[in-house]
Amino acid sequence: MRSGGAALLVASDTISRTFINAYGELPAGAITAAIGGPWLIWLAMRVSRKLSGGTGSGAQTSMSVGGWQRKVPYPVVIIMLCVLLVLVWMSGLAIGNLYLPWAEIIAVFLGQGNEMYSQLLFELRMPRLLTAMLAGVALAISGSLMQSAVRNPLADPQIVGVTSGAGVGAILLLLVFPPFSAWMPLGAMLGGIVSATIVYAVSWRRGLNPIILTLVGIAVAAAGAAFINILIVKAQLLAAPALAWMAGSTYGRGWTEISRLLPAVIVLAPLAWWLGRRVDLLAFNDESSIGLGLQVRRTRLAVAVIAVLLASVAVASVGAVGFIGLLAPHAARLLVGAHHRRAVVVSALLGAVLLAASDLIGRVVMIPKDIPSGIVVALLGAPYLFLLMFRAAKVRQS
């Protein structure tokens, strides 16, 4: 094991020194990840044969992470979240570099306000808030579906390489077609879809086994991250817009992003809710689900397609915002249980609140500077992830 690790690192260092350019060597870590990604995919396929004996059913993972002893009534949760969303919305419109009294905001909506205030509201703050809310809804629903599809409570759009694939697509577009830099969101969307397609194509022969799908997703995500590092070294200053996009931000987002997000949410969110009963059956092991009449592979693929499309559209609009797809579904299950149709609605509202609140915090903490909302979400999400792991450990011990 030690000799293998040493050989891999020496080989990566040799390759990185071979491709020296005007900006220096390629990162050895990036080369290691690029080599290790396909290796991990091969290892996942071998593990699947040992676990399932070639049938693809395999071992099952658990979605149990604990929960409240007494669930909050579902209507109460919905009302509380709607009130919280309205409060965040009102605060987001009023607070910023320039504070707007609510009397002025109401006057603007009535068509009687100052022209400068009207421009500030309708061209800057309102589209930015709407983009954050819609992207939060898309990421939260995507995470909820993804966790059900792979039966892994730690899954989110990053687990199938959507985020890293989107980054590769965005930077490649900037490098190969610099005049079309305005089309970077399209490149990001295509990159995310291609990465997810690779993951599911490789996992298809194993019946989309949750363990295999997760391992392959981690491998593709690692390989994507490695290629991003390599492309950044190659591109240098040309990659600056893509790096800012990868931090995840709602800064400067407008009605164009809303026109991209709104149709996707309107079409795909009801489909995610409609799949409720089938998604609930995916919580059982594959044999039990098949015995109950569920076409497991087809259902898992349908759920994954909706999740990937939602995540790709969101990432293309606001960048690589993490943790929303992890935080919102877990909080929803803690509040209303594992019932998918209820949990997906609560997840959507939580996602909207989280990303809109992160956007607001990023705008006001260091005025006049703007902290990317993706960084704020990560700061909020990291402690929650530690808490989640602690609760999961307690559940397993009990």
Side-chain angles (χ1 to χ4, degrees), residues 164-245:
S164 60
V168 172
I171 297 178
L172 275 177
L173 184 67
L174 289 175
L175 287 177
V176 180
F177 304 106
F180 298 95
S181 59
W183 292 80
M184 189 174 66
L186 178 60
M189 188 183 304
L190 292 176
I193 293 174
V194 168
S195 295
T197 301
I198 293 173
V199 172
Y200 283 95
V202 173
S203 306
W204 181 262
R205 293 183 60 187
R206 301 300 172 201
L208 295 180
N209 181 280
I211 295 177
I212 306 307
L213 201 151
T214 302
L215 289 175
V216 175
I218 292 172
V220 171
F227 283 117
I228 287 173
N229 289 331
I230 294 172
L231 290 171
I232 288 172
V233 172
K234 179 71 175 176
Q236 290 295 308
L237 293 178
L238 292 176
L243 290 176
W245 170 86

Side-chain angles (χ1 to χ4, degrees), residues 274-365:
W274 178 74
L275 287 170
R277 181 178 178 275
R278 294 176 176 83
V279 173
D280 287 337
L281 291 178
L282 285 177
F284 301 103
N285 59 47
D286 289 357
E287 291 79 4
S288 299
S289 300
I290 293 171
L292 293 171
L294 182 70
Q295 295 179 320
V296 173
R297 184 185 294 190
R298 183 179 299 178
T299 301
R300 191 168 283 143
L301 182 61
V303 169
V305 167
I306 296 173
V308 168
L309 289 176
L310 283 169
S312 298
V313 172
V315 170
S317 299
V318 298
V321 176
F323 282 106
I324 294 288
L326 175 65
L327 290 175
H330 279 294
R333 281 195 291 271
L334 289 175
L335 290 171
V336 298
H339 188 280
H340 176 73
R341 287 185 174 175
R342 292 184 174 184
V344 78
V345 174
V346 174
S347 295
L349 290 172
L350 281 170
V353 170
L354 281 171
L355 195 50
S358 298
D359 172 71
L360 176 61
I361 293 171
R363 281 196 285 127
V364 302
V365 167

